[in-house]
Amino acid sequence: MFKFFKRKPKIEDELKENPNQPEKWLKLAEENERRAPEALKNALLYSNGELIEEVSKILRNLALYREIEPYLTEIEEKLGKDYSSFLKGLIEEYRGNFQKARNLYDVAKNSQNEKLSFLSNYHIANLYIKEGLYDLAYKALKEIEDKVPESYSFEYMVKKRELEEKLGIGGSKIIKSFKEGLKKTRDALGLSQLSGRNVDESLFEELEERLILADVGVKTTLELIDYLKKEAKRRKIKKSDELLELLKEKIKEMLRTCKGELNLNEKPSVILVLGVNGVGKTTTIGKLAKQLKDKEYSVVLAAADTFRAAAIEQLEVWAERAGVRIVKGQEGTDPAAVVYDAIQSIKAKGEDVLIVDTAGRLHNKERLMREIHKIKKVIGREFPGQPAEILLVLDANTGQNAISQAKAFKEITDVTGIALTKLDGTAKGGIVIAICNDLKVPIKFVGIGEKIEDLRKFDPEEFTEALFSE
Ligand SMILES: Nc1nc2c(ncn2[C@@H]2O[C@H](COP(=O)(O)OP(=O)(O)OP(=O)(O)O)[C@@H](O)[C@H]2O)c(=O)[nH]1
C-alpha cells in the first residue's frame, strides 16, 4: 500500500494558517530574502519586540536596511519609538552617518526592553571606537556591563579588554603614585570642569587658556585648538565631552612620537647624562642606576662633574643608595680623565652599563662644549659608535625655560633622550607636550618625586590619561 506522503507544509502556509509564530517568521526571513523585510517586521511584532537581537542580526547580515524602512512606521505604532529609533540607527550606521546613528541609539538606549537597551549602548560604544573616542566607548560599555546577553558575553569581554589596554586602565598600568604625581597639573588644567558644556567660542578660549597655563606652550596650544575647531566642525561635535576626548587622543598621538626605549643594545652601554645644575641630574642618575640594577644590569657611575666636590660626594651618596660602583677623581680633575679611568675599570670588570654624570654649567657654554666633546671622544675611542645614549635632564618646573635649555644643549651635542624631572612638584606638566612637539626628542623618563623609585619610563597613554582622568 502506498503510504500517502503528506507534503511538508511550506513555512508560508503554516504562517498563513497561524501568523503568530515569531520564530517561524525569522526562519522565513533567513530562507527567503525577497520576503525577509516583511518577515522580520512580523517576527518583531509577534514577539512583542523580544526578537530584536535576532532581527537586527539578520538585518545586518542581509544588509536589508533600505528594505526594512517601509515597515518602521508600523513598528513604531505597535512597539514604540525605541524600536523604530534603534532600527533607524542601524540604517544610519550602515550608511556611515555615525553622529546621526548615535543620536538615534540614544533614544533607544533607555528602552524598557533590556536587550534593546543593551544593543543600543553596544552600538554606541562601537561607533565611539570607530571614531577613536575610546574613553567614551569604554564608558558606554561600562554602563551595560550587567546587561550583557549570553550571546554577546565573549565579544563584549574582548572589546572591553581591548579598550582597557588602549586606555591603559584596569590592572596597575596607571599607577596611583603617577596619577598623584600629576595631580597639580591635572588640577591646573581642570579639564573635568569643562565637561557637559556646549562647543562654542568661549569653550575654545577657555581651553586655550588652560593649556597655556599648564605650560603646553603657545605654539603647541594653537596647533591643538586649531585641530579641535576643524574636527568639531567636520564631526558636528556639539558637546564638550567629545571634544575633550578628541583632545586627549590628539595629545596621545603627539606624545607617541616621543616614546623611546633606553638604548642598552651594546655591552657595555655608555650613557652620558647632561643637564644644568639643580635640574635633578644626580638624582635621576641614582634612580636610573637602581632601576637598571633591579633589571640585573651591572651598573657603574662616573663622577665626571669634577667642578664641585659636592657634586662628586652627592653622586657617591646615590651610588650607595642604588648599590652600584662609582669611579671618581679629585675635585678639579679633568672630567675626560675620570671617564677614561671608568672605562678601563668596566673593561676590566665586564660591567654592562656606565652612566656618566657631567657638569651642568651652561652659562659657560664654550667650556662645557669642550668638556663634553672631549668626554665623547674618549668614549668613542674605547667603544666606537658610543655613547649609546645622551640623556638630557630637564626640570619640568622651569617650564618653557626647559625648552631653551634643551635647544642650547642640542647646539653642543646631539641629544638622544630626555628625562623630565619634578613633574610631581609642578602644575606645568603640559611642558611634556611642548617639549615633545617642539624638540622632537624622545622623552625616555619622567621624575615624579625625590625617592629612588620615583622615576617612570615615559608612557604617552599613562601620562595623558593621568592628565585627563580624575
Ligand atoms: N619633587 C622632586 N624633586 C626632585 C626630582 N628629581 C630631583 N629632585 C630634587 O631636586 C633637587 C636637585 O636634585 P639634584 O639631583 O641634586 O640636581 P642636580 O642636577 O644634580 O644638581 P647639582 O647637584 O647641583 O648638579 C634635589 O633636592 C632632588 O631631591 C623629582 O622628580 N621630583
Side-chain angles (χ1 to χ4, degrees):
M1 253 325 255
F2 283 103
K3 253 180 75 197
F4 176 72
F5 281 95
K6 197 166 173 311
R7 187 175 60 77
K8 190 171 171 307
K10 283 171 63 176
I11 288 187
E12 285 92 326
D13 306 341
E14 288 180 278
L15 287 167
K16 231 184 240 121
E17 208 154 294
N18 168 13
N20 189 3
Q21 304 181 71
E23 300 288 347
K24 281 235 164 58
W25 281 111
L26 268 192
K27 209 157 163 28
L28 177 62
E30 284 173 322
E31 289 173 5
N32 180 334
E33 193 162 330
R34 191 181 49 73
R35 294 205 56 196
E38 183 210 1
L40 289 174
K41 180 262 294 182
N42 288 334
L44 204 51
L45 297 186
Y46 283 113
S47 68
N48 197 25
E50 272 316 299
L51 291 177
I52 183 66
E53 182 187 334
E54 294 78 357
V55 165
S56 66
K57 270 190 181 155
I58 297 172
L59 204 56
R60 191 180 57 194
N61 297 343
L62 299 178
L64 291 170
Y65 296 107
R66 222 184 330 283
E67 294 76 4
I68 195 81
E69 275 186 304
Y71 299 101
L72 294 181
T73 314
E74 185 186 354
I75 288 170
E76 184 162 324
E77 279 157 12
K78 292 185 178 154
L79 290 180
K81 202 164 170 48
D82 45 355
Y83 286 88
S84 59
S85 301
F86 175 70
L87 294 170
K88 284 176 190 162
L90 287 180
I91 294 167
E92 291 307 329
E93 181 175 352
Y94 178 70
R95 289 179 179 149
N97 308 326
F98 294 161
Q99 181 66 51
K100 233 169 149 187
R102 227 184 0 256
N103 295 339
L104 286 159
Y105 290 139
D106 267 337
V107 172
K109 75 178 189 179
N110 302 315
S111 165
Q112 294 306 313
N113 178 324
E114 281 237 326
K115 236 187 241 179
L116 179 57
S117 165
F118 167 79
L119 286 170
S120 307
N121 275 292
Y122 197 58
H123 278 270
I124 288 171
N126 282 326
L127 288 175
Y128 277 136
I129 291 172
K130 281 181 190 157
E131 294 187 273
L133 302 173
Y134 302 123
D135 210 2
L136 293 174
Y138 191 67
K139 270 187 208 138
L141 283 188
K142 285 289 278 181
E143 268 174 40
I144 49 177
E145 63 186 349
D146 49 9
K147 287 183 195 161
V148 184
E150 189 46 44
S151 53
Y152 277 82
S153 57
F154 180 72
E155 185 185 328
Y156 174 89
M157 186 267 293
V158 168
K159 207 171 282 287
K160 189 159 166 272
R161 189 68 52 78
E162 280 167 358
L163 280 169
E164 283 169 351
E165 267 308 297
K166 275 192 195 308
L167 294 168
I169 44 183
S172 63
K173 263 192 104 175
I174 296 193
I175 54 160
K176 200 161 156 296
S177 63
F178 188 73
K179 280 191 74 173
E180 273 158 17
L182 279 173
K183 184 167 175 12
K184 282 191 181 159
T185 299
R186 184 169 55 247
D187 293 350
L189 262 174
L191 295 174
S192 50
Q193 295 151 25
L194 300 180
S195 171
R197 294 261 299 267
N198 291 327
V199 173
D200 55 25
E201 201 41 45
S202 71
L203 179 78
F204 284 116
E205 277 160 21
E206 200 168 330
L207 200 46
E208 187 176 315
E209 207 179 298
R210 287 169 187 267
L211 288 170
I212 289 181
L213 260 180
D215 233 348
V216 171
V218 174
K219 171 175 167 286
T220 305
T221 297
L222 293 180
E223 274 177 38
L224 287 168
I225 296 295
D226 184 44
Y227 165 78
L228 289 176
K229 283 183 174 170
K230 286 194 182 110
E231 282 302 297
K233 205 152 161 256
R234 191 175 71 81
R235 298 178 188 216
K236 299 187 183 56
I237 293 176
K238 303 271 176 285
K239 289 287 169 213
S240 61
D241 293 84
E242 277 189 55
L243 197 78
L244 293 173
E245 256 312 290
L246 226 47
L247 173 63
K248 177 161 67 165
E249 291 311 318
K250 186 65 184 171
I251 289 174
K252 281 184 190 175
E253 182 195 312
M254 241 180 206
L255 293 180
R256 278 188 205 110
T257 62
C258 293
K259 188 170 180 176
E261 295 293 324
L262 194 63
N263 172 13
L264 295 173
N265 308 324
E266 323 259 337
K267 179 172 164 68
S269 291
V270 183
I271 301 172
L272 194 56
V273 180
L274 313 173
V276 299
N277 289 90
V279 295
K281 193 163 23 63
T282 321
T283 307
T284 303
I285 289 173
K287 293 172 178 176
L288 180 58
K290 176 75 170 52
Q291 241 181 56
L292 295 177
K293 181 167 177 282
D294 290 351
K295 286 182 185 156
E296 310 299 317
Y297 286 99
S298 48
V299 181
V300 180
L301 305 187
D305 177 359
T306 60
F307 186 72
R308 289 176 309 126
I312 298 171
E313 281 142 31
Q314 204 201 7
L315 194 66
E316 261 182 307
V317 167
W318 277 105
E320 185 84 20
R321 277 186 200 152
V324 299
R325 255 184 356 106
I326 180 167
V327 173
K328 60 187 176 58
Q330 296 304 317
E331 181 183 355
T333 319
D334 172 8
V338 173
V339 174
Y340 179 80
D341 291 348
I343 287 173
Q344 300 318 313
S345 168
I346 62 168
K347 276 169 84 168
K349 295 193 186 305
E351 277 115 339
D352 302 317
V353 182
L354 173 64
I355 304 177
V356 180
D357 182 15
T358 62
R361 294 182 314 291
L362 199 56
H363 52 276
N364 186 339
K365 208 162 145 185
E366 283 312 307
R367 180 193 164 106
L368 185 60
M369 190 184 275
R370 277 197 308 278
E371 245 178 50
I372 288 172
H373 279 191
K374 214 172 152 192
I375 288 171
K376 282 173 70 179
K377 231 163 79 186
V378 165
I379 295 169
R381 202 171 44 229
E382 294 295 331
F383 306 116
Q386 294 218 43
E389 191 79 54
I390 301 183
L391 201 59
L392 172 61
V393 181
L394 298 171
D395 175 346
N397 277 303
T398 56
Q400 295 299 317
N401 240 353
I403 295 200
S404 31
Q405 260 176 38
K407 286 179 178 164
F409 272 101
K410 282 180 78 177
E411 281 161 25
I412 293 177
T413 174
D414 53 319
V415 172
T416 59
I418 284 170
L420 190 65
T421 63
K422 310 185 194 178
L423 267 181
D424 53 300
T426 176
K428 296 173 171 293
I431 188 69
V432 170
I433 304 159
I435 285 176
C436 173
N437 197 38
D438 283 12
L439 299 177
K440 306 279 184 234
V441 175
I443 299 169
K444 306 228 166 164
F445 297 99
V446 286
I448 49 169
E450 301 200 84
K451 296 191 301 299
I452 197 160
E453 63 273 14
D454 288 334
L455 184 74
R456 295 276 299 161
K457 229 171 74 174
F458 178 64
D459 175 332
E461 266 69 21
E462 180 182 67
F463 175 81
T464 314
E465 284 302 324
L467 270 195
F468 277 72
S469 55
E470 283 317 303

